[in-house]
Structure formats: structure tokens, C-alpha cells
Amino acid sequence: MDSADGFDAFRALAERHGRPGARLIESLAEAAAGASGGPAEWAPGVAERLGLPASAGLGPATFYADLAAGRARRHVRVCTAAACFAAGAGAHLPEVERVLGAGVDGVSPDGQTSLQAVRCLGYCYAGPACLDGDTSCTGPTLADQLAGRVPPQAPPIPAADTTGDPVVLAGIAGDEVPWQVWAETLGARTPDQVRAEIAASGLRGRGGAGFPVAAKWAAAGRSPGTVVIANGDEGDPGSYADRLLMEGDPGRVLEGLALACFACGARHGLVMVRSEYPQALAAMRDALRRAYDDGHLGRTAGGGETDLDIRIVEGAGSYVAGEETALIASLEGQRGCARPRPPYPTRHGLWQAPTVVNNVETLAAVPWIVRHGGHAYARRGTPAETGTKLVSLSERFARPGCYEVELGTPVLRIVTELGGGLKAGSELEVVQIGGPLGGFLAADRLDTPLTEAALESRGAALGHAGLVAFDQRVRPEEVLRHVWRFAAAESCGACSPCRVGSRRGLELVGDTPPGEEYARLLRVMEEASMCAFGRRVPPAVRSLARAYGDRLAGWDPGWDR
């Protein structure tokens, strides 16, 4: 290992024991499912059987929500994220607790039922939602479904293209079949040509960071041992675009990953799917089996000389593990904490190999671009931010669903024309856009183009482009409390500005007007947090204060300037 990059004791030890990585997390998950006690009772034994010290098991077992949560024979995961909270001002949570006889993150007195609070199950369009085992239940009758009084309800994701020629929805709203571009590419294109088309397209990552895809691929330098990871750990509450793609068109996601591997000279690809998406996990695994059976992958992929292997890995429940360095740590079997950069993953990533991490939606756009050309893609959107984007509208909208739009489409049009405004009886107060750490726009400030630059000028962010509507039934103070509660629960704890700051922010929610301590807290989090999670909390809080204005009791929108 390059001494300039520091010494990683876990990696060094794991190297001597066959890199257990995801196998460690899988073994911990199996042990957790059959255990009655906490991680301290079973995690050390799992690690020791893999030749690792007890701490290597206890670390992830106490970090990941799926491993740390108590589990009974019946395990229910209830969504407490933004869209489900907005659907009924959080009233579904006590209703679920009453019907199950178990408190959040607890077990019923008879020991038969456990209840775990999670933050997004990808049913933002039909919330509130929960998973009863792997059975989805959604809607206003959620408690009755869990009680068995009505059958489970889990409507499919409404999806539509608004561009006239879908890119990422080419197989869902269009008639394009996956793996055709892959076959054409292996027979007639070079890696340089594929990279050139992506560069010409101006495609940027759709996972939130917006980094140019061609630049990230180039940074790996086609180095031997390069790995490409499809990040399907879609954790932004309010977005379900990746879930739609993995369930509705998994072959396209795999084809995009294969093309990325081809362009980067990688022989190995990975897909990380969050555990909260059991149907997506099953669909991706089935699509991968078919891809191997049809000869698209393997030692002679596509009938030629290409050697490419892809595998699917299940997450263990962590929002921050969607950040690329935390995701890599998770795949290695470590706690999903963000790592300082540099070095960047494209230089030292998974097991120190050059690693490219692309979001699922990003990769789903690659086949269209390779087939139709980068310039055709670049003509869409805006000159500065090209292409299309999937936007997810929450349950409060009259027509919730996932829509493919061109970047630059006014948010007002998305809300009023595509979403149809809010449901009868609801009055729009604010819209949260770009996830819990994205930002808020007031109902009278929606005349903003859907671009990163325009949203940033309003104190918001594009992120995954999930739009969660909050109506008059939810008090502004409770929305603020919800933001801080999410931050405190999901901080990975790797740096004190975020770990301590998020908890202190939650404690200060009731302080009105906010004082100098509050302002100082936000400045420290924004300037000193290790990763974007901690740095994005302050802008989200400030944008919420601006969006609600004097409706947020005691707050002056310019209080911290």
C-alpha cells in the first residue's frame, strides 16, 4: 500500500484472510436474523469464523440498521422519511405501534413482533409505507393491512416520459430492449469511442454530486484491476427513480454497467442494492442470471474476447453508505463511514483498486447515448446541464409518479402540470427537493429551472430530484424537527462536527428565535464536516427557514447572516 495514503489495519488483515468483504456483512445478516440477543452476543463469533478479530464483526453489526435492530419472528420496517411523514403528519407511526404492540426499534412483549424505523422504502408516491417481512403495505389503511383487516396494498410506480424520446425510460416508456447496444458495441466500437460519446454528451452523475461521468472514467486511467460499481443504494427520501429502474428495467442497468466496464477497461462490476428494496434486489439478481445464460457476461461476453463478471450485493441499512467512499467501505465489510479524500476512489478504491462509482440512473442513460450519440443527448436539457432527469413526485400530489423531463424544465410546470398540483383539500406550503439535505422552495418560488445551478441559487439542490410536498397540515416546526432527526439518526459518526452537531441541532429545535449558538453550529457543520452529508445540513435548514418565512415561529430568514 502507498504509505502516502496511510495504513488501513482492517484492509491489511482482511487481505490475509481472503478479503471477506461482503461475505462478512452477509454472514452477520444471517446471524442477526436468527438471534434473540444483541450484536455483542453473535457478531464476534461471525468474525472469528472468518479469521477476523471480534471488533471486525462488532463494528458493522452495531453500525448498520438492519444488523443492529432487534428482530423477532415477524419483523416490520416502517418508513419515517419525508414523504411518508408528509402524507399524514407522521400519524401513521403511533397507529402502527398500537396495532403491532411494539414501539419503534423495539420488540412486542410476547417477543413475536419487532418494529424498525427506516428512512425510505421507495413508496413515496403511495405512502405511508412499511415492509412486513418482504411484503409491502402502503396507504392510509396501513395499520389495517398490518392487522390483517384488509389485504396488503402496494401499487406499482406510475412512470411517464415527457420528452418524446425517453433515455433512461427507454425500456419502460419506450420499446428499446436491453443488451442490443452491448452486442453492437462489442462488434463495432472501441473503448475510446464509447468514452468519446459520453464526453460529448456532457452526462453528469445523477446520484446527487453531478460530477462529469467522462472525467470520472478517465481518472481511473484504464488501470489494471479497475472495478466499476453501480450504486443502487438510493437513500434520498422522496426519490424512487433507482427503484423504478432496477425493478422495471434491470437489464438496462446491467447493460449500462457493462458498457462502463468496457470503457474503463474493467473486468469486474458490482451492483449495490439497498436492503429496503427487496423486489429490486430480486429483479436485479434474476436479470443477472439471464445475462449470463444469454452469453452477455462471463469469460467470453458477447461471443467475443471480452471477459466481464458482475455480481449483486445487498446493503445493510445506512443512508451515508450511499456516499461513494462509505459504499466502498461497506463492500469491504467495514462500517459505512465516509473517508477523507484524496486519495480518490478512482486511484485507491475497493481493496485499493481503481474504482469508478456511478449511480443507477446514470448508467441507465449510457446505452441510449452510445446508440444515438453524445451530441444527440447534449442537444437536450440546457447548454450547461445537458440531458434528461427522472423526477419523483410524492403522495401529496394529485398525480404522483416518476417522470422523465429535460433538465431546465421549470419546477412550477413539474408541480402544476405533471403533478396536477396537490390533492383536493391540500394547500401547498413548501416543496422539499433533492432529498432531506437538498432544500426547500416556497409555493410562490417554484419558477425555477430544474438545474443544479438554478436550484443552488435558491438554496436548494438537484440531488436525486425527489419532490416532496408539505401541505398546511404539517407545522413548520415539525418539518424542521424532522430534518434534524434525520441528520442525527443517519450521521455515520466519523467526524465530530456532523456527529455532535446533528444531535445538538435536534436539541435546539424548540429554541425560537435561534441564537448565536445555532448560527455557530451551522457554520461549523458546513465548514468542517468530512463529507457532503454534514456540509449539506446547514443549507437545508436555512432554506427551510426562508421557505416558511414568518410561518416558522420566531424565525427571521436572515437571522444567521
Side-chain angles (χ1 to χ4, degrees), residues 3 24 32 51 79 96 126 150 194 234 297 324 370 409 438 443 461 481 483 486 493 512 541 555 559:
S3 60
L24 171 61
C79 183
V96 167
V150 297
V194 172
E234 178 183 47
L297 301 173
E324 62 178 9
V370 174
T409 301
R481 190 184 310 277
V483 170
F486 178 90
T512 55
V541 170
W555 283 59
W559 65 272

Side-chain angles (χ1 to χ4, degrees), residues 32 131 219 281:
L131 282 174
L281 184 64

Side-chain angles (χ1 to χ4, degrees), residues 102-168:
V104 169
D105 297 329
V107 180
S108 61
D110 62 7
Q112 296 300 302
T113 304
S114 53
L115 179 62
Q116 176 188 354
V118 298
R119 290 157 192 87
C120 205
L121 295 172
Y123 283 96
C124 315
Y125 59 94
C130 73
L131 282 174
D132 188 355
D134 283 345
T135 300
S136 303
C137 303
T138 68
T141 63
L142 184 64
D144 288 333
Q145 294 173 52
L146 291 171
R149 292 188 285 267
V150 297
Q153 299 172 14
I157 299 174
D161 169 63
T162 70
T163 71
D165 185 8
V167 175
V168 292

Side-chain angles (χ1 to χ4, degrees), residues 408-424:
T409 301
V411 175
L412 183 63
R413 181 188 170 227
I414 294 171
V415 168
T416 58
E417 295 182 26
L418 303 184
L422 266 58
K423 292 180 176 178

Side-chain angles (χ1 to χ4, degrees), residues 189-202 213-219 221-222 259-265 369-370:
R189 299 183 180 102
T190 66
D192 287 342
Q193 289 173 326
V194 172
R195 291 197 303 274
E197 295 298 349
I198 299 301
S201 74
V213 174
K216 181 177 282 191
W217 289 5
R222 291 184 57 81
L259 288 165
C261 288
F262 178 78
C264 294
I369 293 172
V370 174

Side-chain angles (χ1 to χ4, degrees), residues 7 58 65 206 294 435 478 496 525 547 559:
F7 178 76
L58 279 170
R206 298 301 189 219
D294 294 341
E478 290 307 309
S496 57
M525 289 186 69
W559 65 272

Side-chain angles (χ1 to χ4, degrees), residues 437 495 497-498 522 525-526 529-539:
L437 308 181
C495 67
C498 179
L522 295 187
M525 289 186 69
E526 190 169 25
S529 293
M530 184 185 300
C531 77
F533 182 91
R535 293 194 297 268
R536 279 299 311 172
V537 174

